[in-house]
Amino acid sequence: MNHEPDLPDLPRLLRELSAVEPGAGRRAGEGGPGPDDAAEPLDGPGFEVETRSVAGMHTVVAITAEDRPPSEAERVLLRSVVRALLDLAGYESGSARTRVVLTKHGYRITACRTAPVV
């Protein structure tokens, strides 16, 4: 099945991901800004995670650091977060590039671009 997610619906998917990931769904006044709090500064290291998906199986092929190389624990988190996003989006086949910022309140996915297999 080659199912392309409804990309305009990505903000809703990001909120759902934040709801299922422990500690990521905090709201303002509950220990930190929530995932859709636009006032939250995105201070922290940024990473681009490149994936390839075949039949719904997502393989991380590269993690590119904007500021510094990620630690092993950060690499595990980045792989998990991006795979969960692609699963929630129903992304089955193609490549994706996802930008993640690790803030003091947890990770924030700031962009995800997909390219289906042609």
Side-chain angles (χ1 to χ4, degrees):
M1 177 171 129
N2 188 2
H3 176 259
E4 274 301 303
D6 182 12
L7 293 182
D9 210 18
L10 193 56
R12 181 187 58 79
L13 293 171
L14 293 175
R15 285 191 299 277
E16 287 179 14
L17 176 62
S18 294
V20 298
E21 289 290 325
R26 288 187 294 256
R27 299 278 180 214
E30 296 179 358
D36 42 288
D37 185 347
E40 178 187 2
L42 293 178
D43 294 332
F47 302 93
E48 295 280 338
V49 181
E50 185 178 341
T51 54
R52 300 279 186 270
S53 301
V54 176
M57 298 299 295
H58 316 297
T59 302
V60 174
V61 296
I63 298 176
T64 306
E66 294 176 4
D67 303 315
R68 60 164 177 77
S71 68
E72 185 56 34
E74 290 170 336
R75 292 177 68 77
V76 168
L77 173 71
L78 292 165
R79 286 191 298 262
S80 175
V81 165
V82 170
R83 286 178 176 149
L85 171 67
L86 296 173
D87 283 344
L88 277 172
Y91 195 67
E92 293 283 322
S93 181
S95 63
R97 182 173 292 269
T98 306
R99 184 172 186 277
V100 182
V101 177
L102 300 179
T103 73
K104 66 180 180 178
H105 297 292
Y107 69 85
R108 297 294 180 259
I109 298 171
T110 61
C112 183
R113 295 188 182 267
T114 59
V117 175
V118 284

